[in-house]
Amino acid sequence: EAGVTQFPSHSVIEKGQTVTLRCDPISGHDNLYWYRRVMGKEIKFLLHFVKESKQDESGMPNNRFLAERTGGTYSTLKVQPAELEDSGVYFCASSPSGKLISYEQYFGPGTRLTVT
Amino acid sequence: AQSVTQPDIHITVSEGASLELRCNYSYGATPYLFWYVQSPGQGLQLLLKYFSGDTLVQGIKGFEAEFKRSQSSFNLRKPSVHWSDAAEYFCAVVRGSQGNLIFGKGTKLSVKP
């Protein structure tokens, strides 16, 4: 069974540019999460999809961030325009549906975003 | 508000020595707790979890953790550390009924030969 994959693994962009990160969850997992780790800080929740619907986007920092999950499969996270403070590692995680099993999240390797 | 504290940022142990990584949580009800490990260049891998029942839980790679409600702790232990255990370790708790995780800042483990 393939794990959670993320693309690209690393992206370097200039301030003001746009970047789109992609996450492919484990096949059949309805729950998809985005997290971010800024250097020196803890990993923080951004948002949660259940299938194609946004269940919780309380962690999104501002309206420069837009997440989509078309057809309930892969997800994209777009940052437009990027700012220096957006630099960090963006993790995607997925989990199946079910009361307790849904809490067991499987993480991708992350995308390291550097904004210069 | 829920929170997770990992008081040790960096720990160095000798290979073969025992290991204990500390984790304290703040949560009103019974928490769902996790330990994840991130090896260099890898994603986060689930080591073990606690939902209910036996407070001593076993995980992969020879790790175990003990839930102590009275101390609000969920410390991770391993009796004999291997060089391949060098990584960063994260303690996490599920936030309410939402399902997303609240993480500690992580503890980086170095292993001396």
Side-chain angles (χ1 to χ4, degrees):
Chain A
E1 177 184 89
V4 176
T5 58
Q6 294 185 244
F7 182 83
S9 58
H10 194 179
S11 179
V12 181
I13 61 172
E14 292 183 353
K15 176 182 170 180
Q17 290 186 320
T18 298
V19 63
T20 300
L21 314 181
R22 173 172 169 142
C23 168
D24 287 81
I26 293 173
S27 177
H29 281 191
D30 289 339
N31 295 290
L32 187 150
Y33 302 83
W34 283 98
Y35 294 85
R36 176 175 74 172
R37 189 183 192 195
V38 173
M39 187 180 295
K41 305 274 190 171
E42 64 269 33
I43 301 168
K44 285 199 169 178
F45 166 75
L46 295 178
L47 86 159
H48 171 204
F49 284 99
V50 177
K51 298 185 180 178
E52 66 274 11
S53 300
K54 290 177 186 173
Q55 182 76 10
D56 180 359
E57 51 185 330
S58 61
M60 294 287 262
N62 51 61
N63 58 10
R64 296 185 293 103
F65 289 75
L66 175 65
E68 294 179 326
R69 190 180 183 193
T70 308
T73 55
Y74 71 92
S75 174
T76 58
L77 180 65
K78 181 191 286 189
V79 185
Q80 179 182 30
E83 298 289 344
L84 298 178
E85 64 263 26
D86 301 331
S87 296
V89 180
Y90 291 76
F91 292 101
C92 175
S94 71
S95 69
S97 294
K99 188 180 187 312
L100 289 180
I101 196 172
S102 65
Y103 296 148
E104 294 186 38
Q105 297 177 26
Y106 297 82
F107 281 78
T111 293
R112 181 175 295 277
L113 175 64
T114 303
V115 182
T116 62
Chain B
Q2 291 169 263
S3 65
V4 176
T5 301
Q6 292 180 251
D8 304 305
I9 296 172
H10 192 182
I11 284 182
T12 300
V13 301
S14 297
E15 191 168 17
S18 63
L19 171 70
E20 182 168 28
L21 302 183
R22 296 182 290 165
C23 172
N24 292 94
Y25 66 90
S26 171
Y27 185 58
T30 300
Y32 298 146
L33 294 157
F34 301 84
W35 275 99
Y36 282 87
V37 60
Q38 185 181 22
S39 299
Q42 306 293 315
L44 285 89
Q45 181 182 23
L46 180 63
L47 280 177
L48 46 79
K49 62 184 182 287
Y50 173 77
F51 287 163
S52 64
D54 193 345
T55 56
L56 185 63
V57 293
Q58 303 297 320
I60 62 172
K61 304 186 180 188
F63 286 92
E64 65 179 26
E66 187 170 13
F67 171 62
K68 292 185 178 180
R69 183 189 300 278
S70 61
Q71 298 176 21
S72 298
S73 69
F74 188 55
N75 294 349
L76 181 71
R77 301 195 294 246
K78 186 169 184 178
S80 177
V81 168
H82 188 261
W83 64 266
S84 60
D85 293 324
E88 192 161 17
Y89 292 79
F90 297 91
C91 182
V93 66
V94 173
R95 179 171 75 99
S97 61
Q98 300 302 315
N100 60 281
L101 298 174
I102 297 172
F103 285 89
K105 289 189 175 182
T107 297
K108 187 166 286 190
L109 173 67
S110 297
V111 180
K112 290 190 300 187

